Amino acid sequence: MTATANATTTTTDSGPLFLGLDLSTQQLKGMLINKESVVEQEINILFDDEFPAYQTQNGRHVSGDRVTAPVLMWVEAIDLLMAKLRQTGQAGRIRGISGAAQQHGSVYWRPEGVQAIGALDATVALADQLVAAGAFALEDSPIWEDSSTRKQCEALETLAGGPAHLAQITGSVAYERFTGTQIAKIKETQPEVWQTVSRISLVSSFIASVLAGRIAPVDAGDASGTNIYDMQRGTWAPALCDAIDPTLIDRLGAEVVMADHCVGSLATYFVQRHGFHPECSVVAFTGDNLSAYSGFESLFAASASTQAPAIVSLGTSDTVLFPLERYPYAGDASLIPASHLGGHVLQHPTERGRYIAMLCYKNGSLARDWVRRTSFGAQGSWDEYTKAALDACPMALHSIGFYYLQMEILPRAKGIHRFEVNQEEEEKEFQSVDKFRQGSDACAIIESQVLAMRADYSHKSDAPLSAVAITGGASRNPALLKIIADVLNVRVFAVCAQNGAGDEHGADVQNPAMPAYGGAVRALQHWRTTSDGSSSDASAAAASGYMLQQVCSPDAQAHVLYSESLHNYERLRDQVSKGSKE
């Protein structure tokens, strides 16, 4: 059993608790917070370790471009996590549950499954009942890593009138992993399966459905990652859905809700079998990135006095979530430049009139580690790397590099490309070079990665950013922090845990499970709005077990230099991208 209870308990009463869940690719995470937002316990269920019978690798099955995950494995994980909570004695205190799941995946219910979750027997394991009922039309669900739907993507873009028109409707050009094309492929290639499908859930609404004992509506945030949701109207896009199947909207459920909507009470199965409180509410689940964003927003509102932060997650891939106060694709779609269509525009999970730009860069920490090893040797330290980067920055006015070890997403390009101004020539134009004469790769790769974030954000919005919260494995690197602050001209914050004992700084930088935390906070907020005599939002948020600590401020002069280099950076990036396609 790989379940951890990394609890930070700061209260000893028996007050209400709120559970946030995050069903990611490799595990199901659970986080309990109390009514002061303090984290009391965390539990992780690792799929490969707990359920070897499903023979998954990192939580999924891979067959070429086709990537799926067993639905019943997720069902078993939910039941196991609830059993672990029962064993801790905390289940009866839980008054609300919400959470998140990996985006884009889909679950296909047969009519027998819809009926079964509404009539569960607390004396029989959840998975056994759903197997007996033949609940699912597909035993394995397509997930976000699947890239087998290129044909369906092309058909969807053609139907919409081209990539720009599809992005104008749905927030994104067609992507293989998005739910709409996955549904279209299943109907086209498995018609016998399609005929048995009664309802379709996203992975997020699937969890809410199991917990509530009824098919829960899809939330608007996760719907915006399907390529078939009309972002400006806030409904499924009829023309796109009908082209896949005239009954598709009925199978998805016409109602689309915000992620703070209560979808019902917890099913009696969990109350009777695992000892949960009979008045426990289930609040809508959303996508993992969106739930994480809502969790960060709650921390900013509590401790930074700054609204609408950007979130930068530095990992194997770098993911950036930028706030948008208006929809960037309104107006004439034919006037949207192709370079502005990268990334995704998603619905804010709880505020209908707000949006989030999600930008994903495949070459993140592994590319930075490649530079460390090639520059300083296999045993070279990150301290050496950081010193070299800090000594060289800013260098983008005269030296720019692109480090695409894998085929990049934004832009579509591959290879190592360095450009440098030839100071000996009168024109001082950038020229391709094998090695920098000025500066270092250690600095150039970070500058290149962060300049990409700034350029791609500018294609979605011209509003200045107020702050950035940084998370992920590389979030403590001083060079990364400084260059992010200087390029984006923002204060940079890290997520910390308040130390009960208290040290010199009073906080430890951490990388908490923010999708689960965001879900727990939404469950708590729903309870506050429906419970008499509850503490105010302000006082409860201020007592949060997490806090934001400012770790870097921008240097005005460096920001000016980066701004002056942005034009050349974008021009060279376009050049590299075009060269990769030839």
Side-chain angles (χ1 to χ4, degrees):
M1 170 65 201
T2 308
T4 60
N6 300 320
T8 304
T9 303
T10 59
T11 60
T12 57
D13 64 15
S14 57
L17 297 175
F18 305 89
L19 175 62
L21 298 176
D22 175 24
L23 197 158
S24 63
T25 311
Q26 300 185 48
Q27 61 187 314
L28 175 65
K29 301 177 184 178
M31 177 183 289
L32 283 177
I33 66 172
N34 62 25
K35 65 181 180 180
E36 282 77 40
S37 303
V38 175
V39 178
E40 295 216 354
Q41 190 168 42
E42 295 184 38
I43 298 176
N44 300 332
I45 307 294
L46 294 173
F47 298 143
D48 290 2
D49 292 350
E50 293 294 347
F51 310 113
Y54 291 101
Q55 299 181 337
T56 56
Q57 293 183 328
N58 297 318
R60 73 273 200 272
H61 294 145
V62 180
S63 177
D65 293 337
R66 187 169 179 267
V67 185
T68 61
V71 182
L72 287 169
M73 179 182 72
W74 296 338
V75 171
E76 289 201 59
I78 294 169
D79 221 9
L80 177 59
L81 189 141
M82 298 308 196
K84 290 294 175 184
L85 287 171
R86 182 191 69 231
Q87 292 169 9
T88 67
Q90 306 284 39
R93 295 173 57 192
I94 297 172
R95 295 298 185 92
I97 304 174
S98 187
Q102 52 183 289
Q103 292 185 256
H104 315 305
S106 45
V107 175
Y108 299 82
W109 297 91
R110 297 176 69 241
E112 294 84 353
V114 174
Q115 183 178 359
I117 60 169
L120 294 170
D121 182 348
T123 65
V124 181
L126 181 58
D128 291 344
Q129 295 184 69
L130 296 183
V131 168
F136 304 111
L138 282 178
E139 293 184 357
D140 269 31
S141 286
I143 63 170
W144 66 275
E145 290 179 277
D146 190 283
S147 58
S148 65
T149 62
R150 176 46 26 201
K151 173 187 173 184
Q152 289 75 23
C153 286
E154 292 172 355
L156 192 63
E157 287 187 342
T158 299
L159 174 68
H165 286 84
L166 183 63
Q168 183 181 55
I169 299 169
T170 71
S172 302
V173 300
Y175 282 91
E176 288 92 337
R177 66 183 181 275
F178 275 37
T179 322
T181 53
Q182 294 290 338
I183 294 171
K185 180 190 171 188
I186 289 168
K187 185 194 173 182
E188 291 172 18
T189 62
Q190 299 176 272
E192 72 288 351
V193 170
W194 181 254
Q195 291 176 1
T196 69
V197 175
S198 171
R199 294 296 302 269
I200 302 172
S201 295
L202 302 190
V203 182
S204 57
S205 62
F206 160 75
I207 308 173
S209 299
V210 171
L211 295 176
R214 56 184 290 269
I215 299 297
V218 175
D219 90 288
D222 225 3
S224 62
T226 64
N227 265 152
I228 52 175
Y229 178 76
D230 191 318
M231 294 285 287
Q232 297 183 79
R233 295 183 178 180
T235 63
W236 298 114
L240 301 179
C241 290
D242 288 351
I244 295 173
D245 188 280
T247 67
L248 179 55
I249 291 178
D250 289 337
R251 300 191 199 205
L252 288 166
E255 181 186 23
V256 179
V257 301
M258 303 307 289
D260 54 1
H261 175 81
C262 180
V263 301
S265 298
L266 187 64
T268 55
Y269 171 87
F270 298 100
V271 175
Q272 296 174 1
R273 185 176 181 88
H274 297 305
F276 276 74
H277 197 284
E279 296 180 4
C280 179
S281 298
V282 179
V283 177
F285 280 53
T286 188
D288 49 5
N289 289 298
L290 297 165
S291 189
Y293 190 88
S294 69
F296 276 112
E297 275 198 317
S298 71
L299 293 180
F300 269 91
S303 56
S305 300
T306 304
Q307 298 298 318
I311 312 300
V312 177
S313 176
L314 299 168
T316 303
S317 302
D318 291 339
T319 300
V320 191
L321 301 174
F322 285 116
L324 299 174
E325 298 304 319
R326 62 180 179 83
Y327 191 64
Y329 298 145
D332 188 346
S334 65
L335 299 178
I336 304 173
S339 61
H340 290 202
L341 295 174
H344 316 298
V345 178
L346 303 174
Q347 168 67 56
H348 187 282
T350 59
E351 297 183 39
R352 180 72 71 178
R354 293 179 58 202
Y355 305 92
I356 297 169
M358 185 170 77
L359 308 173
C360 300
Y361 303 93
K362 185 178 291 186
N363 294 276
S365 62
L366 295 182
R368 291 186 288 269
D369 187 56
W370 177 85
V371 168
R372 177 189 63 81
R373 289 183 284 105
T374 55
S375 298
F376 307 103
Q379 303 304 315
S381 70
W382 282 105
D383 288 341
E384 291 178 275
Y385 175 100
T386 300
K387 183 179 185 305
L390 290 172
D391 288 347
C393 69
M395 59 181 276
L397 275 177
H398 57 75
S399 305
I400 294 174
F402 301 92
Y403 304 81
Y404 304 138
L405 276 65
Q406 303 179 65
M407 181 61 74
E408 187 50 82
I409 301 171
L410 288 174
R412 188 165 178 79
K414 190 174 182 180
I416 310 302
H417 310 270
R418 299 179 183 87
F419 300 89
E420 196 163 53
V421 171
N422 188 337
Q423 301 291 352
E424 298 176 0
E425 293 187 358
E426 185 176 347
E427 296 296 329
K428 293 185 170 51
E429 292 289 334
F430 277 90
Q431 298 180 357
S432 178
V433 297
D434 292 329
K435 184 178 181 180
F436 290 128
R437 290 170 293 181
Q438 309 172 68
S440 72
D441 286 320
C443 173
I445 185 173
I446 301 175
E447 288 187 340
S448 180
Q449 291 171 333
V450 184
L451 282 167
M453 298 173 190
R454 177 174 171 181
D456 294 330
Y457 170 66
S458 72
H459 297 161
K460 301 287 190 291
S461 174
D462 56 6
L465 293 169
S466 59
V468 164
I470 188 168
T471 185
S475 59
R476 302 187 188 194
N477 186 286
L480 273 161
L481 298 176
K482 174 175 173 52
I483 293 172
I484 288 172
D486 293 346
V487 171
L488 300 180
N489 195 32
V490 293
R491 294 178 295 157
V492 178
F493 294 82
V495 182
C496 305
Q498 295 178 352
N499 277 338
D503 59 14
E504 180 183 355
H505 305 288
D508 291 327
V509 175
Q510 292 197 348
N511 290 304
M514 291 306 293
Y517 181 74
V521 169
R522 292 196 307 280
L524 166 59
Q525 290 170 341
H526 172 74
W527 177 80
R528 286 184 188 142
T529 63
T530 57
S531 176
D532 294 332
S534 60
S535 56
S536 70
D537 285 359
S539 63
S544 173
Y546 289 136
M547 60 176 285
L548 289 165
Q549 182 179 65
Q550 184 171 328
V551 292
C552 199
S553 298
D555 179 279
Q557 185 176 0
H559 176 68
V560 169
L561 295 176
Y562 284 124
S563 297
E564 292 174 355
S565 70
L566 192 60
H567 173 74
N568 281 325
Y569 172 82
E570 288 203 77
R571 178 176 60 82
L572 292 171
R573 187 171 73 153
D574 288 344
Q575 178 180 321
V576 167
S577 178
K578 290 176 182 177
S580 296
K581 295 175 183 177
E582 293 174 355

